[in-house]
Amino acid sequence: MSTRSRALAWDPTTAIEALAAADAALWIWTPAEDQIRFTGATRSLGLGPLAPECSGAAFAALAMPQDRALADRLLKPQAEGTEIAVRLRMRGCETCLWRGVWLEDGLRAAGVVALETKFAGVDRDALTGLLDRRTFLVRVSEVLAQPGDYELVAADVDRLRRLNEALGHERADLVLSALGSRLAGAFAEDCAPARIGEDEFAILVPRGATGASERMREALEQPIRVAGFDIYPTVSIGAVAAEGGPEAPDAAELLRRVELAVEQAKLTGRGGAAAYGRGLETDSLSRLALESDLRNAFVRGEIEPFYQPIVNLKTGAVAGFEALVRWRHPQRGLVPPDEFLTLADEMGLMNDLGLLMMNQAARQLAEWLKRHPTAGRLFCSVNLSVGEIERPHLVEDVARIIRETGLPRGALKLEVTEGDIMRDTAHAAEVLTQLREAGASLALDDFGTGFSSLSYLAKLPFDTLKIDRYFVLTMNKDEGSAKIVKSVVNLGRDLSLEVVAEGVENAELAGLLLEASCHYGQGFGYAPALPAQEAEVYLNESLADGSAPIKARSA
């Protein structure tokens, strides 16, 4: 052997140095000995505590909790020649890709592990390691160029925004990462598993592939444990058929169709499914028209508050109103809030909507206070939309509105949900304090539906608790609901907070609340949300009669 040949020869030391330089490691797993051995850059891959060898149980224990099932799958003996490709995140490390093969009649498995970024190119989604949207479209185009029947299936993770609110973005990303791993494990690489949106996944399979939609649902809807919480994901699934060959549809058009099907599936509730059909195009155009109308509604003044009375249970007098948004569409009439609030949220209009509601409600209240001095300390509640507490200039806007309308301190009451507080309690406390100093009063809405607020309630500057309507509606039939209502009222009294009970449907419920020493009642037993003119008539009649009328029983 020449000097040059010897210089280029690979000895074990050189191999180990090369692996370390490449941030990669070799692994060998022998099930009969319950031993997995490592050589190479184990520390940078998060495998330092396991090197040079460990048991299968120790290996699985070091994996992130949501990936332990994948770790177990890697260790499960397979037939000789079976390839291994598993994405795992070990504690204290980024996601790694484990590639290998089973050897010697399935007695051993061996392969290489490296950071996923070493294997994956720029065509991969950074969070999940799946194909990204652009590359998925390229792959679909390549497949559809060949004759054949195919099916594109897409899944949208339900309530991802709720997960972000409850867990924070980093932990919600762990959920998405685990879902990506499961999708990759459930479908072969030639199915092109991809992440095509923040909460959307897709695959392309031959038409007639056994239960592709069901297999996707089964893969994505397995429970995941994150930060001590058991998460039970659900997905809305859409599917569209396509024929490959010269007349194949454009990949982007096919993806548009399947996303229409996903939107249709969402309309049936969580975990829905739908297939693309021509009828969906009409629905989509209707939605597009509704989006355009909603944007124009702000300009044309079609968005307005309706006012639901809030009554002092002890005196029967109208104490205030809650402003609830309504859309008076010129052709459709009154559009129900559940039809346009979600749309407004998706269009990023909720902050604009919140500011509009505060402006209009404050000006209306100021007019009523001038015209009805005998109404006493009338107030008006306005809901802050999800995330609005984090909006820049919120405090300045509230201070300006109170100053321009001349409202007395506390007359404008802002209602905040528990979810808004729990995302960042310290920041929420700071903003709430500033809102209180600006002259607003503060209510914690839907109290009783969560638990975490109890530990923070005494520290936050609320002056009002609102009991969720479910507990009020059922307190005359359900002992548990009655106990919750009484507990909240007692808690409010102990903390010097006023308590408003929503869902007062009749005189019986109002009587039970009065016995529990609840301060205020609100519900259809008194009146639904009314246009401003009708709300003023209701106020006038209540002042003339000395108390607000209430239904004897529910309709």
Side-chain angles (χ1 to χ4, degrees):
M1 181 182 295
S2 68
T3 302
R4 177 174 173 80
S5 297
R6 284 195 299 272
L8 294 176
W10 286 78
D11 59 28
T13 301
T14 305
I16 293 172
E17 289 174 349
L19 287 168
D23 280 337
L26 299 178
W27 57 270
I28 299 175
W29 162 235
T30 309
E33 299 176 7
D34 189 24
Q35 184 182 76
I36 185 167
R37 299 194 300 276
F38 301 98
T39 300
T42 54
R43 185 177 299 278
S44 63
L45 300 175
L47 301 170
L50 304 178
E53 59 189 44
C54 68
S55 66
F59 170 72
L62 192 66
M64 293 293 286
Q66 65 269 26
D67 283 356
R68 283 178 187 160
L70 296 171
D72 290 338
R73 196 184 80 194
L74 184 147
L75 300 175
K76 185 178 180 181
Q78 302 288 332
E80 181 177 344
T82 302
E83 294 185 356
I84 297 167
V86 177
R87 296 174 61 253
L88 281 176
R89 181 177 293 184
M90 311 304 284
R91 295 182 183 276
C93 184
E94 299 175 39
T95 303
C96 291
L97 190 59
W98 296 68
R99 290 193 180 278
V101 66
W102 281 92
L103 309 167
E104 301 169 358
D105 293 326
L107 298 178
R108 291 190 308 152
V112 63
V113 55
L115 291 172
E116 186 176 36
T117 52
K118 297 290 183 179
F119 283 110
V122 294
D123 60 348
R124 297 280 169 172
D125 171 61
L127 181 62
T128 64
L130 303 176
L131 297 180
D132 60 22
R133 186 183 183 95
R134 179 188 60 80
T135 309
F136 180 69
L137 287 171
V138 172
R139 186 73 60 85
V140 171
S141 296
E142 292 172 350
V143 173
L144 292 182
Q146 306 300 320
D149 293 327
Y150 302 95
E151 185 178 35
L152 180 60
V153 183
D156 187 289
V157 182
D158 297 322
R159 301 178 69 195
L160 179 65
R161 180 169 185 170
R162 179 73 185 96
L163 276 180
N164 279 324
E165 292 171 5
L167 300 176
H169 287 283
E170 289 186 1
R171 289 171 176 169
D173 282 350
L174 290 178
V175 174
L176 290 172
S177 177
L179 293 179
S181 296
R182 290 174 175 181
L183 188 66
F187 292 92
E189 186 69 22
D190 58 6
C191 293
R195 183 185 181 207
I196 58 172
E198 181 185 12
D199 53 1
E200 289 182 286
F201 298 91
I203 54 169
L204 181 68
V205 295
R207 182 105 55 92
T210 307
S213 295
E214 291 76 11
R215 188 149 45 113
M216 177 180 263
R217 185 181 300 282
E218 183 179 349
L220 298 179
E221 291 192 347
Q222 295 297 318
I224 303 171
R225 189 165 182 81
V226 175
F229 295 95
D230 289 319
I231 310 298
Y232 294 86
T234 60
V235 293
S236 299
I237 292 181
V240 60
E243 184 175 344
E247 303 300 321
D250 179 72
E253 168 62 16
L254 199 61
L255 195 55
R256 185 191 69 83
R257 293 177 186 176
V258 81
E259 288 178 330
L260 279 180
V262 170
E263 290 301 317
Q264 180 66 25
K266 287 182 179 180
L267 296 178
T268 65
R270 295 176 60 185
Y276 171 80
R278 286 292 180 187
L280 297 185
E281 298 292 351
T282 303
D283 292 340
S284 177
L285 290 173
S286 297
R287 178 184 170 88
L288 198 62
L290 194 63
E291 287 182 4
S292 175
D293 286 350
L294 184 56
R295 288 193 185 278
N296 291 328
F298 284 83
V299 179
R300 294 192 296 250
E302 296 167 7
I303 305 295
E304 63 180 275
F306 275 33
Y307 300 90
Q308 186 171 36
I310 299 173
V311 176
N312 185 312
L313 291 167
K314 188 174 182 179
T315 66
V318 174
F321 293 88
E322 179 177 0
L324 299 168
V325 66
R326 296 293 185 266
W327 178 12
R328 204 183 289 275
H329 193 283
Q331 282 82 42
R332 297 169 179 250
L334 279 178
V335 181
D338 57 358
E339 285 189 20
F340 72 86
L341 284 181
T342 301
L343 185 60
D345 189 17
E346 292 173 359
M347 294 169 65
L349 297 174
M350 292 303 285
N351 287 340
D352 296 328
L353 185 60
L355 184 58
L356 182 148
M357 288 291 290
M358 278 192 288
N359 264 306
Q360 293 195 21
R363 296 183 189 285
Q364 184 63 72
L365 178 60
E367 290 180 17
W368 287 341
L369 287 172
K370 290 177 184 177
R371 288 201 291 262
H372 305 282
T374 59
R377 298 185 61 187
L378 205 65
F379 64 85
C380 188
S381 296
V382 178
N383 292 284
L384 291 183
S385 61
V386 173
E388 193 174 358
I389 196 172
E390 299 167 3
R391 174 173 70 83
H393 310 302
L394 171 64
V395 176
E396 292 91 330
D397 287 335
V398 170
R400 174 183 54 78
I401 289 170
I402 292 174
R403 183 177 63 254
E404 291 176 353
T405 56
L407 287 177
R409 290 188 65 83
L412 178 63
K413 191 184 294 286
L414 303 178
E415 297 188 7
V416 185
T417 63
E418 181 183 12
D420 269 341
I421 298 166
M422 301 315 299
R423 279 201 303 275
D424 187 343
T425 308
H427 177 68
E430 181 181 345
V431 174
L432 292 174
T433 300
Q434 292 173 357
L435 289 171
R436 187 79 175 267
E437 292 171 351
S441 54
L442 302 167
L444 182 58
D445 198 11
D446 295 339
F447 190 77
T449 57
F451 301 96
S452 50
S453 59
L454 290 171
S455 60
Y456 295 102
L457 190 56
K459 304 175 185 177
L460 296 171
F462 288 107
D463 49 66
T464 304
L465 296 180
K466 296 196 75 172
I467 307 175
D468 184 75
R469 66 191 307 272
Y470 168 80
F471 300 113
V472 177
L473 283 170
T474 57
M475 67 181 294
N476 59 341
K477 303 171 185 176
D478 185 283
E479 186 178 351
S481 293
K483 288 181 178 178
I484 288 174
V485 170
K486 291 176 183 177
S487 297
V488 174
V489 172
N490 291 334
L491 179 64
R493 184 171 57 247
D494 291 342
L495 295 174
S496 300
L497 303 175
E498 295 183 328
V499 180
V500 179
E502 298 181 293
V504 182
E505 300 291 293
N506 53 54
E508 179 190 3
L509 293 175
L512 291 173
L513 290 165
L514 182 58
E515 288 177 12
S517 299
C518 185
H519 300 96
Y520 302 108
Q522 173 184 353
F524 283 90
Y526 293 107
L530 303 167
Q533 187 174 0
E534 293 180 28
E536 187 170 8
V537 171
Y538 185 93
L539 176 61
N540 265 325
E541 292 176 349
S542 301
L543 291 172
D545 296 341
S547 64
I550 184 166
K551 296 177 183 176
R553 60 180 63 86
S554 302

